[in-house]
Amino acid sequence: MRALRHRLIAIFALVIAAMATPAHAGSECAATLYTGGTIITMRGESPETVEAVAVCGGRIIATGTRNETAAAAGEDATVIDLAGRTMLPGFIDAHGHVSGQGQVAVMAGLAAPPLGTVDSIAALQAALGAYIADNGLPPGAPVIGFGYDDSQLAENRHPTRHDLDAVAANRPILITHTSGHLAVMNTAMLALAGIKADTPDPDGGIIRREADGRTPDGVLEESAFFRAAALLQPSDMDRAVDAVVRGERIYAGYGVTTAQDGRVTPEAWPALAEAARRGVLMLDTVVLIAGERQWDAATEAMVGQPYRDRLRIAGMKLSLDGSPQGRTAWLADPVPVPPPGKDSDYHGYPAYTPELLDMLMAKAAANGWQVFAHVNGDAAAQALIDGVRSHGLAGRRTIAIHNQVVTPEQLAEQAELDIQPSFFVSHTYFWGDWHREVALGPKRADFISPLASGLAAGLTPSIHNDSPVTPPDMMRLIWSAVNRRTQSGDILGPAERVSPYAALKMITANAAWQIHEEGDKGTIETGKRADLVVLDTNPLTDDPVHLHEIGIVATIKDGVIIHGSLE
């Protein structure tokens, strides 16, 4: 017994000695010391600051006072003066589509104000015409556009094939709704996609028809559009890899150091794998594979494994319903103003049959995969809750992506089952007025993305932009969580506002925890990755009304500046 005690004491002494040894001891890396600004660690439930951070070999080797960190960094360390600016852990994209962001950057831009100028069908047609002319597209070459928003168009309707035919009847045109859940094709593109009068609506989707009830009018909802989404894929591998890199460069400009590609299909996966193989990924890139698609055994074996060349597959993505702004989310109660042709009891619809959802959740449970489930409506949220409970997935950090229209009772059930929400709180600004007046009604709109209630229920929420649905602008995301201001100036659900610190945790510590990476990132602590962002203003002391105006000075990934400058 005494010998065992002595052995334990010796082991304990070795552990203490190892902890006291600088993390870079024996390495040849040159350390960097950051000081002279406000460094917010994001540890704990209240703000904590340190005077300095020392980095070596892509890791944080010390934090604390200037003297402590200088000693750890060594005499030869490079000292960088933050000049009064603010350093935080690098931002984590809790849900987005980074390769999609890169793809839409070179498409015809059709966004409405404040992101663009397309506020009518005529303006949309003009934007498409200008894109064709500016890019010198040859006759017959297809045109792809992104970002139109029927809620922001003067006509308050979707364009039709006839509207797009008026731009160019002799070339295929496809434009995607800002939600990414609907699209419009002109007559030539419908023909190219093989969508005809006798083409049936697929499960979980609708082909909108003209007055005869048969002829497609060009508008495709949900799976009817997704089946044609292969038309959006870049035409060759080099272009596909370029799109991934372009998307990551855009993300880095907003302070993001960990990106997500939140629904990757077998057609899109090779570009990500090739980008990783070529070593061109700027950011850690978290992939969610589309659950309803068929995958080869080699790819499925990668689910849940560590990063390789900055790429890893975190889990399975399930899409249980559609878009609240597109009025396709699966709701328990009717939409106040139904889409054209829908009855007064219309309340959206599920994306999966009950049998398919059951099969996919059973597969995730059998394989031990983390589930990331798109749920916008409360009916979809309940289907997820019921599925997690019935398949023994409680306690597995299932992520409820968006979790927009959810009830207090459902938040309590989610907390019980460890279903953690990632709220799309930017909706309060971009579509808050639309939700209040058209898509949801005042009561449900006020409770959309209920951050404060989620925290009160004991959940660990994150927030996201769902880029490219909205830009990966992390400071506007923080602004939305803190202010919940709509485009008209209304405050949507004031009781659901949170503090700037709580909002920042949702894109740092909480976001890292949701993807099981809390041991490596999300806070500024010794031993963690040197993923950092420097802001020009302290978001904890700045006027909350102006949080979205705070600039990104530099983004640092693994100790290397990948955006901006600190000179």
Side-chain angles (χ1 to χ4, degrees), residues 92-98 181 251 258-263 286 288 317-319 372-374 399-402 422-424 462-470 472 474 477 506 511 514-515:
I92 296 172
D93 173 29
H95 181 68
H97 307 270
V98 66
H181 283 257
Y251 269 53
T258 297
Q260 187 181 108
D261 220 324
R263 182 183 176 275
V286 176
L288 311 180
K317 169 71 176 293
L318 304 181
S319 298
F372 297 76
H374 167 119
I399 306 302
I401 298 170
H402 310 323
S422 185
F423 292 115
F424 191 176
S462 66
I463 52 177
H464 63 265
N465 288 300
D466 200 13
S467 174
V469 176
T470 63
M474 305 304 278
L477 181 64
M506 294 178 190
Q514 286 192 349
I515 55 174

Side-chain angles (χ1 to χ4, degrees), residues 272-292:
L272 287 155
E274 179 63 13
R277 189 192 69 79
R278 294 182 187 182
V280 295
L281 293 179
M282 300 175 64
L283 314 175
D284 284 348
T285 306
V286 176
V287 166
L288 311 180
I289 57 172
E292 74 279 4

